[in-house]
């Protein structure tokens, strides 16, 4: 039957109509509508048209109910349909009238009234297009980001300022919410901000899980885990503040650069395993490990992120009420069989299984198990033979991987420390020398902030300079103690007196005082660095160098 056959077209149209009717009947129900599942029930060629139909119904329903438009959530869930989502939002949720836009812009505090007055005098467009024109000018002059302007034009600027933090642009989506690039308004420091989606803002269960994520991640401090810095609530918006990592998640790295070699992949997995070993030692199980939850920084450090499904082992009874109800918590392609049966049974061996699946994905560009549906994928984890790591994998490494993804948790390694040891022992010396620098992502450019300037990208403190300075000072002190005394030596320092001028014959009193001051500053900088206060350490070290 040809693609132009009228009967075939009729059948396809009837299917789309049926799916739309079914989707519409679920709008507003307490259980979320799984739009992705509706798309998968349609032929591939018909999915773009079906998506527009379903999304249009969703937007129309939310406008009628005066509900939030989760355009950011939709675009992150359906990246292949971003243009369609933007078109639908523009068509169905038109821009605000200019007086309303102006009022909301000033109430946001993003720009000063004097700045807006000056721009208004330059803009002579009619009232109907004035909000968009003013917003475009503000973006061009780096007074707003494009994301901020779009939110304000469509009357959704409420979530742009959260206490001391300013939201700049979306970064991605996590297990429990949306993640944005933000900046601390007082310190001018870039951070990552996670917020609950707007449609979940009133859910007490979602709020409890979100708070639990914040508390769990805040209990962990390790170089291979993204650090949680703050948490808060502002005008009904709950948020977590995390360190901003310049880099890419490993799913994006593999997609752009292709599968990794054995040495590079093991380097990634070992770094992640070290962070997870720290989490496990604190009683925390991640439960959602996958390439997109590992981020490679621009300096080659791998960090574990998104503790949205993590839990403490002693929380099994509390977690049970959150995980039942027919929902599978975790990503099916990386989910261990025991976690699919009972999410509360997950322990450190479950994370080891998911990390083994991640190792396979890094080296092959795809997960080890994938079915035509979620259920088929879960069954494959339970029943299908474990595929080999690949033709380029060393036999010893394949054996380690096979044990990591054993069906029975009792057949896996017992700890992440053991995983690290076995992975490294499985490589040759040449493979161990392979460097992550070959795949390190480019450093992203800073995003314009509200002041019209690009906030400075967070940098690591200049500890090497400080250490060299400290060593020089220590060497000078030793030289002063061991310097041979002569009759010409000046008298010792009297009690409570000042040191003599030019004790070494090299510096005067003022220079010697500067060296002592730099020494004490260096000690303070080291203390701040070890405590994780990198910005403070940087300022102290620069002062010591001066």
């Amino acid at each position: 039957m040809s693609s132009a056959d009228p009967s075939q077209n009729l059948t396809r149209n009837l299917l789309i109509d049926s799916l739309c009717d079914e989707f519409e009947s679920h709008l507003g129900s307490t259980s979320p509508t799984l739009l992705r599942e509706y798309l998968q029930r349609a032929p591939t060629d018909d999915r773009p048209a079906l998506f527009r139909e379903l999304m249009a119904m969703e937007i129309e329903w939310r406008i009628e109910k005066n509900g939030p438009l989760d355009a950011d959530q939709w675009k992150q869930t359906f990246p292949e349909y971003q243009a369609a989502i933007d078109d639908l939002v523009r068509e169905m949720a038109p821009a605000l009238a200019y007086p309303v836009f102006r009022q909301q812009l000033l109430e946001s505090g993003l720009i000063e009234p004097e700045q807006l007055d000056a721009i208004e005098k330059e803009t002579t467009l009619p009232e109907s297009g004035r909000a968009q024109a003013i917003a475009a000018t503000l973006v061009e002059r780096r007074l707003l980001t494009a994301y901020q302007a779009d939110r304000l034009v469509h009357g959704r600027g409420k979530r742009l300022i959260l206490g001391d933090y300013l939201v700049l642009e979306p970064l991605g989506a996590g297990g429990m919410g949306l993640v944005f690039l933000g900046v601390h308004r007082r310190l001018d420091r870039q951070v990552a901000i996670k917020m609950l989606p707007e449609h979940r803002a009133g859910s007490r269960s979602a709020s409890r899980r979100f708070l639990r994520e914040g508390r769990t991640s805040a209990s962990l401090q390790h170089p291979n885990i993204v650090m949680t810095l703050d948490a808060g609530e502002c005008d009904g918006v709950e948020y977590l503040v995390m360190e901003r990592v310049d880099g890419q998640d490993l799913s994006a790295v593999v997609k752009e650069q292709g599968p990794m070699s054995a040495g590079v992949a093991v380097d990634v997995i070992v770094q992640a395993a070290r962070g997870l070993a720290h989490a496990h030692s604190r009683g925390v199980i991640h439960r959602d490990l996958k390439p997109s939850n590992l981020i490679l920084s621009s300096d080659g450090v791998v960090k574990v992120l998104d503790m949205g499904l993590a839990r403490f082992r002693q929380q099994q009874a509390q977690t049970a009420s959150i995980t039942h109800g027919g929902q599978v918590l975790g990503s099916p392609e990386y989910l261990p069989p025991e976690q699919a049966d009972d999410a509360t049974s997950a322990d450190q061996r479950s994370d080891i299984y998911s990390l083994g699946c991640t190792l396979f994905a890094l080296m092959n560009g795809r997960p080890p198990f994938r079915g035509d549906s979620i259920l088929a994928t879960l069954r494959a984890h339970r029943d299908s033979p474990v595929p080999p790591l690949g033709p380029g994998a060393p036999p010893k490494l394949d054996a380690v991987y096979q044990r990591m993804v054993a069906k029975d948790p009792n057949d896996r390694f017992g700890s992440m420390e053991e995983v690290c040891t076995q992975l490294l022992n499985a490589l040759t010396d040449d493979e161990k020398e392979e460097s992550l620098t070959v795949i390190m992502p480019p450093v992203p450019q800073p995003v314009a902030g509200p002041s019209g300037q690009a906030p400075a990208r967070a940098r690591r403190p200049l500890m090497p300079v400080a250490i060299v300075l400290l060593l020089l000072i220590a060497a000078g002190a030793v030289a002063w103690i061991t310097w041979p005394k002569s009759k010409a030596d000046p008298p010792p320092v009297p009690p409570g007196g000042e040191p003599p001028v030019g004790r070494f014959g090299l510096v005067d009193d003022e220079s010697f005082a500067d060296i002592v001051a730099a020494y004490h500053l260096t000690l303070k900088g080291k203390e701040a660095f070890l405590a994780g206060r990198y910005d403070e350490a940087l300022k102290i070290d620069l002062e010591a160098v001066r």
Side-chain angles (χ1 to χ4, degrees):
M1 183 180 293
S2 69
S3 60
D5 191 319
S7 62
Q8 185 183 47
N9 290 337
L10 177 60
T11 302
R12 294 166 65 182
N13 290 336
L14 288 173
L15 174 61
I16 291 178
D17 288 344
S18 174
L19 290 172
C20 289
D21 290 342
E22 183 180 342
F23 181 84
E24 188 173 18
S25 69
H26 287 93
L27 286 173
S29 62
T30 54
S31 59
T33 53
L34 302 178
L35 196 150
R36 177 73 71 183
E37 290 191 2
Y38 284 91
L39 292 177
Q40 291 176 346
R41 290 162 60 184
T44 303
D45 293 343
D46 294 335
R47 289 175 186 175
L50 177 60
F51 179 84
R52 288 188 65 90
E53 293 285 345
L54 300 181
M55 184 55 62
M57 285 191 288
E58 180 79 19
I59 293 173
E60 183 178 19
W61 182 85
R62 294 194 179 215
I63 291 174
E64 289 177 357
K65 301 298 182 181
N66 198 27
L69 299 182
D70 287 346
D72 305 315
Q73 175 77 56
W74 295 331
K75 287 192 285 187
Q76 289 163 7
T77 305
F78 303 100
E80 67 271 35
Y81 298 118
Q82 287 191 18
I85 293 169
D86 286 335
D87 291 342
L88 286 168
V89 170
R90 278 194 295 267
E91 293 171 8
M92 304 182 68
L96 296 175
Y98 184 70
V100 181
F101 166 79
R102 188 183 196 281
Q103 178 183 351
Q104 292 192 9
L105 176 60
L106 292 176
E107 288 176 352
S108 73
L110 292 172
I111 68 169
E112 298 297 329
E114 296 79 10
Q115 294 174 306
L116 183 57
D117 291 340
I119 292 175
E120 285 176 327
K121 292 177 181 178
E122 303 171 11
T123 306
T124 58
L125 291 174
E127 197 75 11
S128 59
R130 203 172 188 201
Q132 295 96 321
I134 293 290
T137 302
L138 292 170
V139 172
E140 182 181 349
R141 298 187 183 183
R142 298 168 63 85
L143 295 171
L144 292 179
T145 66
Y147 172 76
Q148 292 168 337
D150 180 72
R151 296 282 301 187
L152 287 163
V153 164
H154 293 96
R156 305 194 306 274
K158 177 183 176 182
R159 296 159 69 95
L160 293 176
I161 293 183
L162 303 171
D164 286 330
Y165 300 96
L166 177 64
V167 175
L168 299 179
E169 66 176 16
L171 286 176
M176 273 299 298
L178 305 174
V179 183
F180 297 85
L181 175 63
V183 63
H184 193 289
R185 302 170 72 190
R186 298 174 185 267
L187 300 180
D188 199 29
R189 179 181 65 186
Q190 287 196 352
V191 294
I193 301 174
K194 178 181 283 191
M195 288 183 271
L196 275 176
E198 293 177 74
H199 71 275
R200 286 187 174 183
S203 168
R204 282 186 288 182
S205 63
S207 178
R208 286 197 301 270
R209 285 180 59 195
F210 194 67
L211 178 60
R212 181 163 57 86
E213 174 186 354
R215 289 175 175 171
T216 300
S217 54
S219 71
L220 306 174
Q221 295 189 22
H222 190 275
N224 297 115
I225 296 177
V226 172
M227 187 182 302
T228 296
L229 307 173
D230 196 5
E233 184 269 337
C234 182
D235 295 331
V237 179
E238 296 181 73
Y239 61 92
L240 300 175
V241 181
M242 301 164 289
E243 66 171 311
R244 160 68 166 144
V245 181
D246 289 336
Q248 284 182 302
D249 71 71
L250 291 175
S251 176
V253 171
V254 172
K255 185 176 181 180
E256 290 182 7
Q257 303 189 29
M260 298 178 182
S261 64
V264 173
V266 166
D267 188 352
V268 167
I269 296 299
V270 166
Q271 288 195 55
R274 287 171 179 158
L276 292 164
H278 171 76
H280 293 169
S281 72
R282 300 297 190 273
V284 177
I285 310 301
H286 191 284
R287 300 200 300 170
D288 193 23
L289 292 171
K290 53 188 175 182
S292 60
N293 276 344
L294 302 177
I295 188 167
L296 173 63
S297 73
S298 56
D299 54 359
V301 177
V302 175
K303 292 178 179 278
V304 180
L305 68 155
D306 197 357
M307 307 300 290
L309 296 184
R311 65 166 177 82
F312 289 98
R313 280 194 287 265
Q314 62 266 33
Q315 288 178 323
Q316 289 193 16
Q318 298 172 351
T319 310
S321 64
I322 298 175
T323 57
H324 70 205
Q327 296 186 42
V328 175
L329 294 187
S331 302
E333 291 85 357
Y334 302 89
L335 198 71
E338 69 276 8
Q339 191 172 329
D341 293 335
D342 179 8
T344 64
S345 68
D347 60 18
Q348 66 269 19
R349 296 169 300 176
S350 304
D351 280 352
I352 289 173
Y353 182 96
S354 299
L355 198 62
C357 293
T358 299
L359 173 62
F360 182 96
L362 297 181
M363 294 183 63
N364 294 274
R366 58 179 176 82
F369 300 104
R370 177 178 285 166
D372 295 333
S373 65
I374 292 177
L375 184 59
T377 300
L378 297 179
R379 285 175 175 166
H381 280 284
R382 186 189 64 192
D383 302 329
S384 298
V386 176
L389 196 51
K396 288 184 179 180
L397 180 58
D398 184 72
V400 175
Y401 149 76
Q402 293 281 342
R403 188 173 172 189
M404 292 176 71
V405 296
K407 307 292 185 185
D408 187 343
N410 294 319
D411 294 333
R412 300 172 200 156
F413 297 107
S415 69
M416 284 294 179
E417 290 88 350
E418 190 177 1
V419 169
C420 291
T421 300
Q422 295 299 324
L423 284 173
L424 292 174
N425 288 342
L427 296 181
T428 65
D429 290 340
D430 289 341
E431 288 164 340
K432 291 178 183 178
E433 290 298 320
E434 294 183 42
S435 173
L436 270 174
T437 56
V438 300
I439 62 164
M440 275 197 281
V443 177
Q445 294 300 313
V447 178
S451 64
Q453 301 296 324
R457 183 174 60 87
R459 295 173 293 176
R460 296 176 71 90
L462 300 178
M463 285 305 296
V465 176
I467 291 171
V468 171
L469 180 61
L470 181 58
L471 291 174
L472 289 174
I473 294 169
V478 172
W480 181 76
I481 293 171
T482 60
W483 196 276
K485 301 294 187 291
S486 68
K487 294 181 180 180
D489 277 344
V493 180
E498 295 293 329
V501 175
R503 181 140 198 173
F504 304 129
L506 298 174
V507 297
D508 55 18
D509 275 345
E510 183 177 357
S511 298
F512 184 76
D514 285 342
I515 292 174
V516 173
Y519 170 77
H520 288 292
L521 284 170
T522 302
L523 292 181
K524 289 178 63 179
K526 179 180 179 182
E527 179 182 353
F529 180 83
L530 293 177
R533 303 192 302 273
Y534 300 133
D535 290 342
E536 178 185 343
L538 175 60
K539 293 177 182 178
I540 293 173
D541 292 340
L542 289 174
E543 179 63 25
V545 172
R546 283 195 292 269

